[in-house]
PDB file of all heavy atoms in Angstrom:
ATOM      1  N   GLN P1371     172.539 136.653 103.525  1.00 39.00           N
ATOM      2  CA  GLN P1371     173.091 136.398 102.257  1.00 39.00           C
ATOM      3  C   GLN P1371     172.931 134.952 101.750  1.00 39.00           C
ATOM      4  O   GLN P1371     172.956 134.034 102.586  1.00 39.00           O
ATOM      5  CB  GLN P1371     174.652 136.717 102.334  1.00 39.00           C
ATOM      6  CG  GLN P1371     174.975 138.226 102.613  1.00 39.00           C
ATOM      7  CD  GLN P1371     174.448 139.059 101.512  1.00 39.00           C
ATOM      8  OE1 GLN P1371     174.609 138.759 100.386  1.00 39.00           O
ATOM      9  NE2 GLN P1371     173.771 140.169 101.778  1.00 39.00           N
ATOM     10  N   GLU P1372     172.860 134.704 100.521  1.00 41.00           N
ATOM     11  CA  GLU P1372     172.812 133.468  99.928  1.00 41.00           C
ATOM     12  C   GLU P1372     173.862 133.297  98.857  1.00 41.00           C
ATOM     13  O   GLU P1372     174.412 134.341  98.336  1.00 41.00           O
ATOM     14  CB  GLU P1372     171.439 133.176  99.297  1.00 41.00           C
ATOM     15  CG  GLU P1372     170.310 133.161 100.231  1.00 41.00           C
ATOM     16  CD  GLU P1372     169.000 132.805  99.676  1.00 41.00           C
ATOM     17  OE1 GLU P1372     168.941 132.815  98.365  1.00 41.00           O
ATOM     18  OE2 GLU P1372     168.020 132.605 100.327  1.00 41.00           O
ATOM     19  N   VAL P1374     175.745 133.343  95.562  1.00 36.00           N
ATOM     20  CA  VAL P1374     175.417 134.131  94.401  1.00 36.00           C
ATOM     21  C   VAL P1374     176.098 133.554  93.270  1.00 36.00           C
ATOM     22  O   VAL P1374     177.286 133.303  93.238  1.00 36.00           O
ATOM     23  CB  VAL P1374     175.858 135.606  94.636  1.00 36.00           C
ATOM     24  CG1 VAL P1374     175.555 136.330  93.339  1.00 36.00           C
ATOM     25  CG2 VAL P1374     175.112 136.237  95.805  1.00 36.00           C
ATOM     26  N   PHE P1398     184.425 134.287  96.011  1.00 89.00           N
ATOM     27  CA  PHE P1398     184.518 135.092  97.243  1.00 89.00           C
ATOM     28  C   PHE P1398     183.097 135.203  97.941  1.00 89.00           C
ATOM     29  O   PHE P1398     182.937 134.888  99.166  1.00 89.00           O
ATOM     30  CB  PHE P1398     185.071 136.382  96.998  1.00 89.00           C
ATOM     31  CG  PHE P1398     185.482 137.169  98.249  1.00 89.00           C
ATOM     32  CD1 PHE P1398     186.851 137.244  98.573  1.00 89.00           C
ATOM     33  CD2 PHE P1398     184.654 137.741  99.082  1.00 89.00           C
ATOM     34  CE1 PHE P1398     187.296 137.930  99.651  1.00 89.00           C
ATOM     35  CE2 PHE P1398     185.000 138.501 100.130  1.00 89.00           C
ATOM     36  CZ  PHE P1398     186.364 138.499 100.445  1.00 89.00           C
ATOM     37  N   LEU P1399     182.101 135.460  97.079  1.00 88.00           N
ATOM     38  CA  LEU P1399     180.808 135.579  97.696  1.00 88.00           C
ATOM     39  C   LEU P1399     180.239 134.250  98.225  1.00 88.00           C
ATOM     40  O   LEU P1399     179.641 134.115  99.237  1.00 88.00           O
ATOM     41  CB  LEU P1399     179.777 136.038  96.527  1.00 88.00           C
ATOM     42  CG  LEU P1399     179.866 137.590  96.296  1.00 88.00           C
ATOM     43  CD1 LEU P1399     179.212 137.834  94.917  1.00 88.00           C
ATOM     44  CD2 LEU P1399     179.197 138.320  97.368  1.00 88.00           C
ATOM     45  N   LYS P1400     180.486 133.150  97.428  1.00 91.00           N
ATOM     46  CA  LYS P1400     180.106 131.782  97.828  1.00 91.00           C
ATOM     47  C   LYS P1400     180.700 131.467  99.182  1.00 91.00           C
ATOM     48  O   LYS P1400     180.151 130.884 100.059  1.00 91.00           O
ATOM     49  CB  LYS P1400     180.496 130.723  96.806  1.00 91.00           C
ATOM     50  CG  LYS P1400     179.533 130.877  95.472  1.00 91.00           C
ATOM     51  CD  LYS P1400     179.998 129.751  94.557  1.00 91.00           C
ATOM     52  CE  LYS P1400     179.209 129.865  93.328  1.00 91.00           C
ATOM     53  NZ  LYS P1400     179.658 128.796  92.346  1.00 91.00           N
ATOM     54  N   THR P1401     182.033 131.789  99.315  1.00 92.00           N
ATOM     55  CA  THR P1401     182.742 131.471 100.544  1.00 92.00           C
ATOM     56  C   THR P1401     182.323 132.221 101.700  1.00 92.00           C
ATOM     57  O   THR P1401     182.082 131.583 102.795  1.00 92.00           O
ATOM     58  CB  THR P1401     184.319 131.713 100.348  1.00 92.00           C
ATOM     59  OG1 THR P1401     184.761 130.944  99.170  1.00 92.00           O
ATOM     60  CG2 THR P1401     185.128 131.235 101.508  1.00 92.00           C
ATOM     61  N   THR P1402     182.128 133.417 101.540  1.00 90.00           N
ATOM     62  CA  THR P1402     181.633 134.330 102.720  1.00 90.00           C
ATOM     63  C   THR P1402     180.209 133.918 103.009  1.00 90.00           C
ATOM     64  O   THR P1402     179.851 133.997 104.244  1.00 90.00           O
ATOM     65  CB  THR P1402     181.679 135.800 102.423  1.00 90.00           C
ATOM     66  OG1 THR P1402     181.043 136.053 101.126  1.00 90.00           O
ATOM     67  CG2 THR P1402     183.174 136.239 102.312  1.00 90.00           C
ATOM     68  N   SER P1403     179.398 133.546 102.079  1.00 89.00           N
ATOM     69  CA  SER P1403     177.987 133.123 102.382  1.00 89.00           C
ATOM     70  C   SER P1403     178.051 131.860 103.142  1.00 89.00           C
ATOM     71  O   SER P1403     177.253 131.704 104.168  1.00 89.00           O
ATOM     72  CB  SER P1403     177.259 132.918 101.089  1.00 89.00           C
ATOM     73  OG  SER P1403     176.009 132.441 101.343  1.00 89.00           O
ATOM     74  N   TRP P1406     179.042 132.719 106.688  1.00 92.00           N
ATOM     75  CA  TRP P1406     177.859 133.225 107.419  1.00 92.00           C
ATOM     76  C   TRP P1406     176.933 132.150 107.905  1.00 92.00           C
ATOM     77  O   TRP P1406     176.472 132.121 109.021  1.00 92.00           O
ATOM     78  CB  TRP P1406     177.129 134.332 106.574  1.00 92.00           C
ATOM     79  CG  TRP P1406     175.989 134.826 107.268  1.00 92.00           C
ATOM     80  CD1 TRP P1406     176.019 136.022 108.184  1.00 92.00           C
ATOM     81  CD2 TRP P1406     174.697 134.425 107.353  1.00 92.00           C
ATOM     82  NE1 TRP P1406     174.804 136.231 108.682  1.00 92.00           N
ATOM     83  CE2 TRP P1406     173.928 135.300 108.191  1.00 92.00           C
ATOM     84  CE3 TRP P1406     174.010 133.413 106.718  1.00 92.00           C
ATOM     85  CZ2 TRP P1406     172.538 135.086 108.396  1.00 92.00           C
ATOM     86  CZ3 TRP P1406     172.615 133.260 107.007  1.00 92.00           C
ATOM     87  CH2 TRP P1406     171.906 134.066 107.761  1.00 92.00           C
ATOM     88  N   GLN P1459     180.703 144.050  93.671  1.00 73.00           N
ATOM     89  CA  GLN P1459     181.471 144.772  94.728  1.00 73.00           C
ATOM     90  C   GLN P1459     180.468 145.008  95.813  1.00 73.00           C
ATOM     91  O   GLN P1459     180.749 144.766  97.058  1.00 73.00           O
ATOM     92  CB  GLN P1459     182.050 146.026  94.207  1.00 73.00           C
ATOM     93  CG  GLN P1459     182.870 146.817  95.324  1.00 73.00           C
ATOM     94  CD  GLN P1459     183.377 148.070  94.792  1.00 73.00           C
ATOM     95  OE1 GLN P1459     183.260 148.419  93.614  1.00 73.00           O
ATOM     96  NE2 GLN P1459     184.029 148.868  95.687  1.00 73.00           N
ATOM     97  N   LEU P1460     179.223 145.422  95.586  1.00 78.00           N
ATOM     98  CA  LEU P1460     178.278 145.720  96.590  1.00 78.00           C
ATOM     99  C   LEU P1460     177.796 144.475  97.328  1.00 78.00           C
ATOM    100  O   LEU P1460     177.648 144.522  98.559  1.00 78.00           O
ATOM    101  CB  LEU P1460     177.011 146.390  95.950  1.00 78.00           C
ATOM    102  CG  LEU P1460     175.936 146.786  96.895  1.00 78.00           C
ATOM    103  CD1 LEU P1460     176.341 147.706  97.959  1.00 78.00           C
ATOM    104  CD2 LEU P1460     174.704 147.329  95.998  1.00 78.00           C
ATOM    105  N   ARG P1461     177.605 143.436  96.548  1.00 80.00           N
ATOM    106  CA  ARG P1461     177.268 142.169  97.253  1.00 80.00           C
ATOM    107  C   ARG P1461     178.266 141.661  98.114  1.00 80.00           C
ATOM    108  O   ARG P1461     178.102 141.050  99.205  1.00 80.00           O
ATOM    109  CB  ARG P1461     176.832 141.125  96.184  1.00 80.00           C
ATOM    110  CG  ARG P1461     175.525 141.423  95.424  1.00 80.00           C
ATOM    111  CD  ARG P1461     174.318 141.544  96.319  1.00 80.00           C
ATOM    112  NE  ARG P1461     174.075 140.286  96.997  1.00 80.00           N
ATOM    113  CZ  ARG P1461     173.398 139.282  96.576  1.00 80.00           C
ATOM    114  NH1 ARG P1461     172.788 139.411  95.403  1.00 80.00           N
ATOM    115  NH2 ARG P1461     173.129 138.220  97.176  1.00 80.00           N
ATOM    116  N   ILE P1462     179.577 141.803  97.741  1.00 79.00           N
ATOM    117  CA  ILE P1462     180.689 141.385  98.646  1.00 79.00           C
ATOM    118  C   ILE P1462     180.722 142.134  99.949  1.00 79.00           C
ATOM    119  O   ILE P1462     180.825 141.682 101.021  1.00 79.00           O
ATOM    120  CB  ILE P1462     182.019 141.626  97.809  1.00 79.00           C
ATOM    121  CG1 ILE P1462     182.217 140.505  96.812  1.00 79.00           C
ATOM    122  CG2 ILE P1462     183.194 141.506  98.826  1.00 79.00           C
ATOM    123  CD1 ILE P1462     183.428 140.679  95.969  1.00 79.00           C
ATOM    124  N   LEU P1463     180.485 143.552  99.818  1.00 82.00           N
ATOM    125  CA  LEU P1463     180.457 144.372 100.991  1.00 82.00           C
ATOM    126  C   LEU P1463     179.323 143.991 101.968  1.00 82.00           C
ATOM    127  O   LEU P1463     179.392 143.914 103.141  1.00 82.00           O
ATOM    128  CB  LEU P1463     180.311 145.792 100.643  1.00 82.00           C
ATOM    129  CG  LEU P1463     181.615 146.418  99.946  1.00 82.00           C
ATOM    130  CD1 LEU P1463     181.365 147.816  99.434  1.00 82.00           C
ATOM    131  CD2 LEU P1463     182.814 146.324 100.806  1.00 82.00           C
ATOM    132  N   GLU P1464     178.109 143.667 101.322  1.00 83.00           N
ATOM    133  CA  GLU P1464     176.947 143.238 102.096  1.00 83.00           C
ATOM    134  C   GLU P1464     177.268 141.953 102.808  1.00 83.00           C
ATOM    135  O   GLU P1464     176.829 141.734 103.975  1.00 83.00           O
ATOM    136  CB  GLU P1464     175.771 143.199 101.221  1.00 83.00           C
ATOM    137  CG  GLU P1464     175.205 144.599 100.631  1.00 83.00           C
ATOM    138  CD  GLU P1464     174.046 144.421  99.732  1.00 83.00           C
ATOM    139  OE1 GLU P1464     173.859 143.196  99.210  1.00 83.00           O
ATOM    140  OE2 GLU P1464     173.392 145.320  99.450  1.00 83.00           O
ATOM    141  N   ALA P1465     177.825 141.060 102.111  1.00 83.00           N
ATOM    142  CA  ALA P1465     178.084 139.749 102.694  1.00 83.00           C
ATOM    143  C   ALA P1465     179.071 139.777 103.810  1.00 83.00           C
ATOM    144  O   ALA P1465     178.938 139.193 104.873  1.00 83.00           O
ATOM    145  CB  ALA P1465     178.763 138.815 101.586  1.00 83.00           C
ATOM    146  N   LEU P1466     180.150 140.685 103.675  1.00 85.00           N
ATOM    147  CA  LEU P1466     181.076 140.872 104.822  1.00 85.00           C
ATOM    148  C   LEU P1466     180.415 141.578 105.983  1.00 85.00           C
ATOM    149  O   LEU P1466     180.746 141.320 107.096  1.00 85.00           O
ATOM    150  CB  LEU P1466     182.246 141.693 104.272  1.00 85.00           C
ATOM    151  CG  LEU P1466     183.128 141.037 103.208  1.00 85.00           C
ATOM    152  CD1 LEU P1466     184.279 141.924 102.771  1.00 85.00           C
ATOM    153  CD2 LEU P1466     183.834 139.744 103.898  1.00 85.00           C
ATOM    154  N   ASP P1467     179.507 142.449 105.736  1.00 86.00           N
ATOM    155  CA  ASP P1467     178.739 143.159 106.810  1.00 86.00           C
ATOM    156  C   ASP P1467     178.042 142.095 107.599  1.00 86.00           C
ATOM    157  O   ASP P1467     177.975 142.144 108.902  1.00 86.00           O
ATOM    158  CB  ASP P1467     177.816 144.112 106.304  1.00 86.00           C
ATOM    159  CG  ASP P1467     178.566 145.421 106.005  1.00 86.00           C
ATOM    160  OD1 ASP P1467     179.705 145.654 106.413  1.00 86.00           O
ATOM    161  OD2 ASP P1467     177.933 146.359 105.291  1.00 86.00           O
ATOM    162  N   ASP P1468     177.275 141.242 106.885  1.00 86.00           N
ATOM    163  CA  ASP P1468     176.479 140.132 107.699  1.00 86.00           C
ATOM    164  C   ASP P1468     177.428 139.238 108.416  1.00 86.00           C
ATOM    165  O   ASP P1468     177.246 138.815 109.579  1.00 86.00           O
ATOM    166  CB  ASP P1468     175.621 139.372 106.585  1.00 86.00           C
ATOM    167  CG  ASP P1468     174.449 140.093 106.197  1.00 86.00           C
ATOM    168  OD1 ASP P1468     174.072 141.150 106.869  1.00 86.00           O
ATOM    169  OD2 ASP P1468     173.836 139.765 105.208  1.00 86.00           O
ATOM    170  N   LEU P1469     178.509 138.821 107.784  1.00 89.00           N
ATOM    171  CA  LEU P1469     179.449 137.965 108.425  1.00 89.00           C
ATOM    172  C   LEU P1469     180.071 138.579 109.632  1.00 89.00           C
ATOM    173  O   LEU P1469     180.125 137.948 110.735  1.00 89.00           O
ATOM    174  CB  LEU P1469     180.570 137.615 107.425  1.00 89.00           C
ATOM    175  CG  LEU P1469     181.678 136.675 107.930  1.00 89.00           C
ATOM    176  CD1 LEU P1469     181.179 135.385 108.403  1.00 89.00           C
ATOM    177  CD2 LEU P1469     182.810 136.483 106.782  1.00 89.00           C
ATOM    178  N   HIS P1470     180.417 139.866 109.539  1.00 89.00           N
ATOM    179  CA  HIS P1470     180.949 140.642 110.707  1.00 89.00           C
ATOM    180  C   HIS P1470     179.998 140.615 111.856  1.00 89.00           C
ATOM    181  O   HIS P1470     180.402 140.440 112.975  1.00 89.00           O
ATOM    182  CB  HIS P1470     181.328 142.040 110.244  1.00 89.00           C
ATOM    183  CG  HIS P1470     181.926 142.898 111.285  1.00 89.00           C
ATOM    184  ND1 HIS P1470     181.396 144.106 111.691  1.00 89.00           N
ATOM    185  CD2 HIS P1470     183.044 142.758 112.023  1.00 89.00           C
ATOM    186  CE1 HIS P1470     182.150 144.586 112.591  1.00 89.00           C
ATOM    187  NE2 HIS P1470     183.104 143.844 112.823  1.00 89.00           N
ATOM    188  N   ALA P1471     178.725 140.827 111.591  1.00 86.00           N
ATOM    189  CA  ALA P1471     177.736 140.811 112.694  1.00 86.00           C
ATOM    190  C   ALA P1471     177.672 139.487 113.358  1.00 86.00           C
ATOM    191  O   ALA P1471     177.605 139.469 114.627  1.00 86.00           O
ATOM    192  CB  ALA P1471     176.392 141.205 112.037  1.00 86.00           C
TER     193      ALA P1471
END
Side-chain angles (χ1 to χ4, degrees):
Q1371 293 295 317
E1372 294 184 352
V1374 177
F1398 194 101
L1399 282 165
K1400 290 180 180 179
T1401 303
T1402 52
S1403 177
W1406 180 87
Q1459 182 181 357
L1460 178 60
R1461 292 299 298 273
I1462 287 176
L1463 293 175
E1464 289 176 346
L1466 290 175
D1467 281 344
D1468 283 345
L1469 178 60
H1470 180 238

